[in-house]
Amino acid sequence: MQMSGAQMVCEAIIAEGVKTVFGYPGGAIMHVYDEIYKQNGFEHILNRHEQAAVHAADGYARATGKVGVAMVTSGPGFTNAVTGLATAYMDSIPMVVISGQVPLSLIGTDGFQEIDAVGISRPCTKHNFLVRSLEELPRILKEAFYIARSGRPGPVLVDVPKDITVEIGEFSYPDSVNIPSYKPTYKGNKRQIEKAVEAIKKAKKPLLYIGGGVVLSNAYKLVRQLAETTQIPAVETLMARGVMGAKNPLLLGMLGMHGNYASNMAMSETDLVISLGARFDDRVTGKLSEFAKYADIIHVDIDPANIAKLVDVDYPIVGDITQVLEQMLPLLDDVNTERYHAWREILKRYDELHPQSYVDSDEVIKPQWAIERIGELIGEDAIITSDVGQHQMWAAQHYPFDRPRQWINSGGLGTMGFGFPAAIGAKRAFPEKTVINVTGDGSILMNMQELVTAAEYKTPVINMILNNHFLGMVRQWQTFFYEKRYSETDLSFQPNWKALAEACGGIGYDVTTKEEFDAAIKDAIEQDKVCFMNVAVNRFENVLPMVPAGGALFNMMLPQKTETHGEEK
């Protein structure tokens, strides 16, 4: 069938089953947007910033497991999108970003809004393409979606020069791809799996170390089965919250810099780490030489480059976690679960000694209470997104996540401004669910223009701003490590959040008491409009436990060591 390059882009998106595209038009991609205007195969959400468009596609992908799609124009349109690409890349999120480019004849001439999108995106995409002819466009689009979702997922860029989008040619969309240099390994090596099973049966203090790869592999039921079969305790990374389910008695909680006492001590004393889709991030390991120093390590990951990158691994297994566990579980039917009884009792004692706790107050709202309260009021029906900072850690520590894909946040890159547009993406995917963006007063300022987007498309996201009038996490480090020199972290000057929300077509709440908090949540759900819920919280509350940067996991600052702060600056 004869059609333009712009039509081919739209037809490929439809052929891939994409229902929602996020984006922002501009000169180099206008032909594609003209075709979007004519088609009805997918909806297009006009974000108010390219970065937000990519984050929205990212949130859509994390909530659904499908490939998120965003479109931007050349030059600044693309460079604004780079933070979104890097965010998705660090967390292995399947995404295709289609960018407009200046005509082929202008590439390399410093033409208006020309930028080397392929060169800039090379370190922060799984793969990228510059389309050089109309004939290769259908194949490239097919490969882009395949690469994004297969193996270790990730964002793929397709940069399309403007003249190609207007050119007419034959469109034949491939049914499959053939990329000789790209053959992901899904099935684990049988011999290595048998060795790992032998190690599990011999261990006295084994520990499941669950990472975000379990979510990406949709392997959570098998992981729960593994824990149930073996009765091995488990810890989750920030990206894996929800995999085990909050009420699972084998789950110790999150580990790492803000992990709880039992989880970090378990990792410090275990004799066998069973790592499933985790990448041994420095926020998890702390001081590498002290990390799990008494343990052998089983490392299951679909990306061979990720195995033994940071720690020595005794049992490397390259493969998809779902397929590896399907191979492994039958070999563990006869495991002696009583062998680990004493280990479980030790960890139970650690949890009783230092549970994840905080001191509540009737005088001022504690952020931990606010997180727990939305868990009580909405629970497993909600999707929780977050920005980056103290509120992110409190949410990870205190929300009762019951399932994967319920918790959406920027773990690897730590992108402030991610939460609101990601929440819009999640809400477009699941309009029947309550979507709450847990944010801070610093983070929400970075993409608050998306109020207009959410209002226009009737996307009722609740933005719960835990407002301490600080860049809270930086302030916390200044408190602990810079003798309270609060350099440029005070955000006392703020907009009228309620009025701002209303000015942009939403609703706003100022919350200072627990009663107002409950009333605001109830009203926000009933009103079914995008909102800012401005919650005044204790200014000097700290996220604890905390492992100082570069320290060993077992050297935690615990809640009872919290300093008493006045309102002094």
Side-chain angles (χ1 to χ4, degrees):
M1 180 183 296
Q2 294 284 311
M3 63 178 66
S4 70
Q7 285 177 290
M8 292 181 187
V9 171
C10 292
E11 290 298 321
I13 290 171
I14 294 169
E16 293 292 337
V18 177
K19 300 301 181 187
T20 304
V21 172
F22 304 87
Y24 200 102
I29 200 167
M30 284 183 66
H31 296 311
V32 176
Y33 271 84
D34 192 46
E35 292 303 325
I36 289 175
Y37 184 84
K38 301 171 187 173
Q39 62 80 43
N40 57 11
F42 58 86
E43 69 168 354
H44 181 277
I45 304 298
L46 173 61
N47 294 90
R48 267 41 177 189
H49 194 287
E50 291 89 351
Q51 179 187 346
V54 181
H55 289 330
D58 185 324
Y60 185 95
R62 294 185 200 232
T64 63
K66 300 177 181 176
V67 178
V69 179
M71 287 188 190
V72 299
T73 192
S74 63
F78 173 76
T79 54
N80 284 343
V82 170
T83 298
L85 284 167
T87 302
Y89 180 70
M90 290 289 283
D91 291 339
S92 305
I93 304 305
M95 181 190 299
V96 171
V97 172
I98 298 169
S99 56
Q101 182 55 275
V102 299
L104 285 167
S105 60
L106 288 181
I107 291 178
T109 68
D110 292 338
F112 176 68
Q113 292 195 333
E114 182 198 359
I115 198 77
D116 180 6
V118 166
I120 289 173
S121 67
R122 189 165 289 124
C124 60
T125 53
K126 183 178 177 183
H127 196 67
N128 54 24
F129 297 92
L130 171 62
V131 181
R132 297 182 181 278
S133 71
L134 183 65
E135 289 71 27
E136 65 181 7
L137 180 59
R139 174 186 59 78
I140 285 176
L141 290 167
K142 184 69 180 181
E143 289 181 357
F145 278 92
Y146 174 75
I147 293 170
R149 67 165 70 93
S150 60
R152 181 180 182 175
V156 177
L157 171 72
V158 181
D159 198 33
V160 190
K162 185 174 183 178
D163 48 344
I164 289 179
T165 62
V166 75
E167 194 175 336
I168 303 294
E170 182 68 21
F171 178 69
S172 177
Y173 198 60
D175 294 326
S176 60
V177 301
N178 180 22
I179 311 174
S181 60
Y182 177 67
K183 302 288 183 185
T185 299
Y186 291 98
K187 191 172 181 179
N189 180 278
K190 182 182 176 184
R191 182 59 188 146
Q192 285 298 95
I193 290 174
E194 289 173 348
K195 287 182 178 178
V197 167
E198 290 171 11
I200 292 172
K201 291 179 178 178
K202 290 179 181 176
K204 295 180 178 178
K205 298 179 177 181
L207 183 67
L208 295 175
Y209 167 32
I210 301 170
V214 173
V215 179
L216 298 170
S217 177
N218 295 313
Y220 80 100
K221 290 182 180 177
L222 290 171
V223 171
R224 291 182 186 183
Q225 185 181 343
L226 173 65
E228 181 66 23
T229 299
T230 60
Q231 291 293 295
I232 295 174
V235 295
E236 292 177 344
T237 68
L238 174 70
M239 301 306 296
R241 302 299 278 148
V243 166
M244 288 289 287
K247 297 174 184 174
N248 194 316
L250 291 167
L251 176 64
L252 299 171
M254 185 171 73
L255 84 162
M257 178 173 281
H258 293 294
N260 64 32
Y261 183 78
S263 295
N264 285 352
M265 292 305 295
M267 187 59 80
S268 300
E269 297 183 4
T270 179
D271 64 358
L272 180 67
V273 174
I274 306 164
S275 172
L276 303 171
R279 60 187 180 92
F280 297 84
D281 179 82
D282 62 280
R283 284 292 197 268
V284 165
T285 64
K287 188 176 182 180
L288 264 178
S289 61
E290 298 293 329
F291 176 76
K293 63 189 297 185
Y294 307 113
D296 286 343
I297 294 179
I298 299 170
H299 191 175
V300 183
D301 201 297
I302 198 166
D303 183 358
N306 214 34
I307 291 182
K309 185 168 65 177
L310 293 168
V311 298
D312 292 333
V313 172
D314 302 280
Y315 305 96
I317 301 174
V318 177
D320 174 66
I321 295 169
T322 295
Q323 295 199 26
V324 170
L325 290 182
E326 286 173 345
Q327 296 170 263
M328 181 180 285
L329 277 166
L331 305 177
L332 288 166
D333 282 345
D334 61 345
V335 69
N336 178 11
T337 59
E338 283 304 305
R339 184 178 179 83
Y340 317 134
H341 176 76
W343 173 229
R344 292 193 297 270
E345 289 299 306
I346 291 171
L347 299 179
K348 180 181 177 184
R349 178 67 182 131
Y350 282 152
D351 193 45
E352 292 170 348
L353 193 62
H354 295 294
Q356 186 71 58
S357 63
Y358 65 97
V359 178
D360 199 7
S361 169
D362 291 327
E363 304 298 322
V364 61
I365 292 178
K366 290 295 188 78
Q368 301 95 325
W369 177 88
I371 298 291
E372 291 179 350
R373 189 61 179 153
I374 58 173
E376 293 168 358
L377 294 173
I378 307 172
E380 62 183 274
D381 288 336
I383 293 175
I384 306 297
T385 71
S386 85
D387 274 302
V388 171
Q390 287 183 307
H391 56 276
Q392 178 191 27
M393 293 299 121
W394 283 316
Q397 290 176 334
H398 293 277
Y399 196 87
F401 296 106
D402 278 328
R403 56 183 169 81
R405 303 195 186 282
Q406 188 183 13
W407 167 234
I408 293 171
N409 77 118
S410 169
L413 196 64
T415 306
M416 294 173 69
F418 169 83
F420 188 10
I424 291 174
K427 185 68 177 177
R428 298 306 298 183
F430 294 103
E432 76 283 3
K433 290 189 178 296
T434 300
V435 178
I436 298 179
N437 174 37
V438 177
T439 185
D441 42 312
S443 284
I444 195 65
L445 286 164
M446 289 199 173
N447 262 322
M448 66 181 182
Q449 78 286 341
E450 294 308 303
L451 261 171
V452 182
T453 307
E456 179 186 357
Y457 291 97
K458 296 181 172 43
T459 306
V461 170
I462 298 172
N463 289 283
M464 190 176 78
I465 306 169
L466 298 178
N467 194 339
N468 55 15
H469 291 76
F470 266 125
L471 291 174
M473 190 60 88
V474 185
R475 192 279 306 156
Q476 176 170 326
W477 282 51
Q478 290 172 332
T479 296
F480 289 149
F481 310 118
Y482 293 86
E483 299 178 333
K484 300 183 181 179
R485 294 188 295 275
Y486 299 134
S487 177
E488 304 300 328
T489 49
D490 190 309
L491 296 179
S492 294
F493 183 82
Q494 297 202 354
N496 181 327
W497 296 102
K498 185 173 184 296
L500 179 62
E502 292 170 354
C504 295
I507 49 178
Y509 306 91
D510 287 319
V511 174
T512 58
T513 68
K514 292 180 177 178
E515 291 74 20
E516 290 175 351
F517 186 93
D518 282 4
I521 283 284
K522 181 173 183 290
D523 191 66
I525 293 174
E526 289 178 354
Q527 293 277 343
D528 206 29
K529 297 174 71 174
V530 62
C531 79
F532 275 174
M533 185 173 158
N534 178 36
V535 184
V537 298
N538 186 19
R539 291 201 78 191
F540 291 92
E541 192 73 15
N542 293 318
V543 183
L544 294 171
M546 179 178 183
V547 177
L553 283 185
F554 51 79
N555 283 332
M556 287 163 273
M557 302 165 68
L558 296 167
Q560 60 264 40
K561 295 179 181 177
T562 305
E563 296 177 31
T564 300
H565 304 285
E567 289 291 321
E568 80 278 8
K569 297 177 182 175

